[in-house]
Amino acid sequence: MHVPVVIIGAGPAGLALANFLQKSGIGCVVLEARDRRHVEERQRAGVIDHYAGRLFEEFGLAEQVIGGAPVETLLEIRVEGVPRFLDGPLLSGGRPSRLVPQQFLVRRLITAFEEGGGDLRFGAADVHPHDFAGDRPRVTYRDPDGVTHELTCDHIAGCDGFHGVSRRSVPDGELTTFTFDHGIGWYTVLADAPAPRYPLMAVSRHGFAAQFARGPHASRFYLQHQPGDDPRNWPDAYTWEQLRLRLGDDNLPEAAISGREVVEMRSFVAEPMRSGRLYLVGDAAHIITPMGAKGMNLALVDAYALATALVTAVRDGDDAGLRNYSDTCLRRTWDYQEFSRWFTEMVHDSGDPAPDAAFRRRLALARLDRLFTSPAAGAAFADMMAGTAL
Ligand code: FAS
């Protein structure tokens, strides 16, 4: 079978790309390793920033994919239990983000693609991209019945996340990779706790904590923990005690905890984001900390950049967009990496109890205070949270 584009991976990157191509009349096949249920239920991100939301509008998908999602109002940041509020939509000149749990976005993208007649194949094992250095790339895989298939194509989109096969298939020596360990661990728990009135972050000498909505009746909590410690062994009572302490809320009720994950705060970037006719998209090319909620949004913006480049290449024979794809995406990736690191320092250093961290703690508290006292600093922060059209 020959198809213009084979997409490896059905996460936010792969599914957004598939829908953008479908809306543009460019044929594609999506190969996903896991089964439908796993893909549709995996909970991760929760915010689509304003810029990423506009991309769905541009392809006429916004109502179908993010319609009805709650719009961001205020961000609450508590410092030693004292609440302060940032009005992102106001400070960014009317560019609110939307609160969309990642699994809701994925489900709606799957529905939109399949309703449009899209070819999405779950349970694809041993997916391998081949011959992408030439102009006749192909992809092989084994279906759930054990039958091996080969798809010839014009382009391959590696949307298979950090642990996928695409980046690993790039010949040695072609990629330069950058990794950074922020030296911070987050313990994230999913609980049946009512969503907070506003997205909530708290800095305190006990450590960072946060509470974000994940649907109307669930919250994802984040607690900073010392690297090396495994908080998944904490008794739930201790977790709730730490959350009350750090959020400054003695009345925070205990709730059933349904998910526990440890997220080591690390960043990763692979350059360039292509090898011949194989393009790396989203987490396949970069990992960013959840600070600033940019991981999923970077994946969506990469998908948009590749979609528009593929449309002009396949439909008009103009491959300028494909030639510029990597540089375009890397410029935004590094911009968001810098913002995420700046944000990570601000909310973690400001609570660092270590004696030798006293000076950094004062710097971080001054950086945080400026957001509320300087309209220009608040606007710059809100601009990055809204997502920027570089
Ligand atoms: P994904 O990893 O989502 O999707 C890749 C897909 O490819 C998967 O479905 C996988 O099954 C499939 N695949 C893998 N190997 C394959 C193969 N060989 N063949 C076929 N298919 C294959 N981001 C935020 O913006 N905000 C947050 O708050 C946030 N919180 C997070 C919390 C946690 C615990 C984690 C782990 C991540 C979080 N992220 C957050 C980041 C996350 O949302 C990613 O940025 C986002 O899923 C990236 O989307 P994709 O690039 O599509 O990759």
Side-chain angles (χ1 to χ4, degrees):
M1 174 184 179
H2 183 87
V3 65
V5 183
V6 172
I7 297 171
I8 303 175
L15 292 167
L17 176 59
N19 274 281
F20 293 158
L21 291 176
Q22 185 179 66
K23 284 287 186 184
S24 308
I26 304 295
C28 65
V29 170
V30 182
L31 300 176
E32 165 56 45
R34 305 298 295 265
D35 63 30
R36 181 188 292 268
R37 180 166 178 193
H38 172 88
V39 171
E40 291 187 342
E41 293 188 356
R42 193 183 52 163
Q43 309 214 24
R44 282 182 151 181
V47 174
I48 291 183
D49 68 31
H50 183 267
Y51 180 66
R54 270 192 27 219
L55 307 179
F56 290 115
E57 288 166 11
E58 186 175 318
F59 281 92
L61 284 160
E63 188 50 39
Q64 193 175 2
V65 168
I66 55 177
V71 167
E72 168 207 5
T73 52
L74 299 178
L75 168 65
E76 179 179 355
I77 300 183
R78 286 180 196 159
V79 181
E80 299 300 344
V82 177
R84 301 180 84 171
F85 298 91
L86 273 175
D87 186 338
L90 178 71
L91 286 166
S92 63
R95 292 183 287 150
S97 296
R98 288 179 175 92
L99 308 180
V100 181
Q102 181 166 326
Q103 70 277 19
F104 288 5
L105 174 70
V106 164
R107 279 179 214 147
R108 289 179 178 178
L109 285 170
I110 289 173
T111 303
F113 185 59
E114 291 185 324
E115 282 179 354
D119 185 344
L120 168 52
R121 304 179 189 183
F122 290 101
D126 288 338
V127 176
H128 286 287
H130 307 276
D131 304 336
F132 43 84
D135 56 7
R136 301 292 290 167
R138 55 196 178 86
V139 178
T140 55
Y141 75 96
R142 201 174 67 250
D143 72 18
D145 298 327
V147 177
T148 297
H149 299 265
E150 176 180 275
L151 302 174
T152 60
C153 54
D154 301 319
H155 304 281
I156 304 171
C159 304
D160 46 353
F162 183 73
H163 301 290
V165 67
S166 298
R167 192 180 66 252
R168 287 186 282 118
S169 300
V170 175
D172 288 346
E174 276 195 25
L175 293 180
T176 301
T177 58
F178 304 81
T179 55
F180 183 79
D181 181 345
H182 297 263
I184 296 166
W186 272 8
Y187 177 38
T188 170
V189 298
L190 204 56
D192 300 338
R197 181 157 184 224
Y198 304 116
L200 168 60
M201 292 183 184
V203 298
S204 82
R205 61 190 175 288
H206 306 286
F208 172 82
Q211 180 184 3
F212 301 135
R214 284 296 184 266
H217 308 296
S219 288
R220 180 178 281 282
F221 292 94
Y222 292 92
L223 298 102
Q224 175 187 2
H225 72 86
Q226 290 309 318
D229 173 18
D230 188 344
R232 285 169 295 195
N233 302 322
W234 293 352
D236 286 352
Y238 177 73
T239 299
W240 288 108
E241 178 197 314
Q242 281 299 309
L243 282 169
R244 287 190 196 99
L245 202 55
R246 299 178 190 201
L247 298 176
D249 180 356
D250 295 338
N251 302 317
L252 182 72
E254 289 200 17
I257 291 180
S258 56
R260 295 171 178 76
E261 288 192 69
V262 171
V263 180
E264 295 309 326
M265 300 282 265
R266 59 186 170 84
S267 295
F268 171 84
V269 179
E271 293 186 1
M273 288 174 54
R274 74 171 289 189
S275 171
R277 290 178 175 238
L278 169 66
Y279 304 89
L280 302 178
V281 193
D283 275 20
H286 39 67
I287 292 291
I288 191 168
T289 75
M291 283 317 313
K294 290 306 181 190
M296 181 167 68
N297 289 293
L298 266 180
L300 297 174
V301 179
D302 287 354
Y304 171 82
L306 185 55
T308 49
L310 284 169
V311 169
T312 49
V314 173
R315 192 173 59 193
D316 313 334
D318 172 6
D319 66 351
L322 289 178
R323 286 198 308 273
N324 298 328
Y325 165 74
S326 178
D327 289 345
T328 302
C329 291
L330 285 170
R331 189 165 161 240
R332 174 186 311 284
T333 297
W334 284 112
D335 188 38
Y336 281 13
Q337 289 281 5
E338 193 284 329
F339 171 64
S340 178
R341 173 64 189 162
W342 174 92
F343 202 165
T344 300
E345 278 176 348
M346 179 170 71
V347 296
H348 291 87
D349 286 357
S350 45
D352 188 338
D356 64 354
F359 186 76
R360 281 190 294 109
R361 184 159 66 246
R362 288 288 189 276
L363 292 183
L365 287 170
R367 183 183 291 183
L368 185 56
D369 186 52
R370 191 184 304 132
L371 297 187
F372 299 93
T373 56
S374 155
F381 173 79
D383 181 54
M384 289 305 292
M385 291 296 282
T388 51
L390 282 177

